Amino acid sequence: MTTLHDPPRAERVPALAEQFKGGLAAPICLTWEWTYACNLSCAHCLSSSGRRDPRELSTAEIEAVIDELERMQVFYVNVGGGEPTVRSDFWHLLDYAIDHHVGVKFSTNGVRLSPERARRLAATDYVDVQISLDGATREVNDAVRGPGSYDMAVRAMENLAAAGFSGFKISVVMTRRNVGQLDAFAAIADRYGAQLRITRLRPSGRGADVWDDLHPTAAQQREIYAWLLDRGDRVLTGDSFFHLNALGSAPLPGLNLCGAGRVVCLIDPVGDVYACPFAIHDAFQAGNVRSPGGFERVWRESPLFAELRRPSSGGACARCPAYDTCQGGCMAAKFFTGLPLDGPDPECVKGHGEAALRSVEPGALPRQGNDHSRRTVALGMPAVRPGRPDRFCDESPLSGMEPVHPMGGRS
Amino acid sequence: MPSSTPSAARGTPGTPDAAGTADAGGAAFDPGRPYRLSRSVALRPEPFGALAYHFGNRRLSFLKAPELVELVRELERYPSAGDALAGVPGTRRGAFLRALASLAAAGMIVPR
């Protein structure tokens, strides 16, 4: 899944962020996945996409939700998937949304962006395109997104640029393998007249399987932070990296708050509404657009969202001097690594996350939500999903232990 | 007072983003002139005031006081922006003036 999560930039951040914590009349950043079907099987897919779900919203149902969004004055949506363009009604729905004053930015791996389609998009006002690319080289990209995906993305970018579609987005999930390519990504964006967007890897969906191997190291987190401070005015982040603000005195651009259920939410392909695109799990499901009252009632009346809009105490982080800048980090990252929601982020730059992770029982990790991963691979062999490595066994059993407890287990 | 969100060169409907690009730019705000809300702008009521969205340049602004929302809605009834501001209590007038200037820069309000 490639979704978007780009809360607005604010000039007077603290006051506005405080206002946002109580929730808005309608979301600003609504991510809407139109299908679980995908031609790729990216290793870190947030929504474990692959196969279409037979319960996915029909054309008429999607149109009805668009009508509702128009009434609620949701001025634009971020459409993703799965690969949204593989829906046979995708282009119709895109036009329908635009005609109803709901702008669309859609995320794609590029599979349907032919030269002709690129020309039509370039001629359409009120639409934006975001190409997913997770490596500045074929080798790095295809290791995560699969064989052929780099060439597919490059072809799409070439087609968009040739059609005169300027300012499309190139969206990169930062991993241990590609942090060193930040400048190279920026060069690719420049080459195509595009804008670079980098976001954080989340341990959600299949991302949980690869989290331990792919999430950036502490040194790389510092590299991302420094790079963003240097070039942040030209690079979009979806407000992804606010957990890094504790690294220095200069905050990264953005709202720097968790917008889940406040300014952000997700509608998944079967109409379920979740607090954020990174939290497809029953614990964060607020309702379904098919229920009476539709999306609007879910947004305005769901008990889960009401809870998320209440002030939070900061929990175990409240006493940390960095809490004001990092806000405890990402709810989904905590949840899927087994950490309490009112405690540190697993990538806490002060190291509190690593310490807390040592006391998480691997068996207690929450199960991922709807898995639509493809069950077979190309040769017809059953696909074996390796599952996440046992954190206790994937390295020396002594690593991370205090030397004064040579025989002790991690508690 | 409003926090505007410049969006990228091309209309990015989803781009009130964590980083934006340059000022889309309106003419310099002149309180001596008459103004009105741009016909391309929709105001969405919010608990803090309103969210203003410009369908042309895709910018998003936040009007962070209900009184400011009222002022913006009523602008076109006054011979000048300054006249509209005259009804604002003195302690807030400076902030509202700056807010209008910022809205003008974002194209949210336009001279008429």
Side-chain angles (χ1 to χ4, degrees), chain A residues 49-61:
Chain A
S49 284
R51 291 171 294 123
R52 182 184 165 274
D53 190 306
R55 301 166 300 157
E56 286 177 6
L57 298 180
S58 67
T59 307
E61 285 174 316

Side-chain angles (χ1 to χ4, degrees), chain A residues 246-371:
Chain A
L247 282 172
S249 55
L252 299 171
L255 276 178
N256 293 326
L257 77 111
C258 169
R262 296 159 161 167
V263 297
V264 172
C265 75
L266 167 78
I267 303 175
D268 90 342
V270 301
D272 286 337
V273 181
Y274 293 92
C276 100
F278 317 113
I280 304 182
H281 186 280
D282 289 349
F284 301 108
Q285 189 189 333
N288 188 289
V289 300
R290 285 172 167 140
S291 56
F295 173 72
E296 182 167 10
R297 183 176 292 179
V298 175
W299 178 262
R300 295 195 174 148
E301 298 179 17
S302 119
L304 171 71
F305 285 179
E307 175 66 30
L308 289 172
R309 292 165 192 169
R310 270 197 279 277
S312 59
S313 67
C317 295
R319 281 166 297 148
C320 176
Y323 180 72
D324 280 347
T325 55
C326 79
Q327 296 285 306
C330 171
M331 180 181 78
K334 293 188 254 202
F335 181 78
F336 287 120
T337 50
L339 296 179
L341 299 187
D342 62 352
D345 186 286
E347 292 179 332
C348 166
V349 300
K350 302 290 185 191
H352 302 308
E354 275 173 60
L357 284 170
R358 282 182 217 126
S359 59
V360 173
E361 295 288 339
L365 290 176
R367 290 166 56 88
Q368 294 293 330
N370 311 319
D371 188 354

Side-chain angles (χ1 to χ4, degrees), chain A residues 99-129:
Chain A
D99 290 346
H100 287 77
H101 306 105
V102 177
V104 173
K105 174 160 76 172
F106 70 89
S107 283
T108 177
N109 54 43
V111 64
R112 292 281 194 262
L113 288 190
S114 63
E116 191 216 337
R117 184 56 68 183
R119 282 192 292 274
R120 285 171 65 179
L121 284 169
T124 308
D125 213 11
Y126 218 37
V127 65
D128 199 8
V129 182

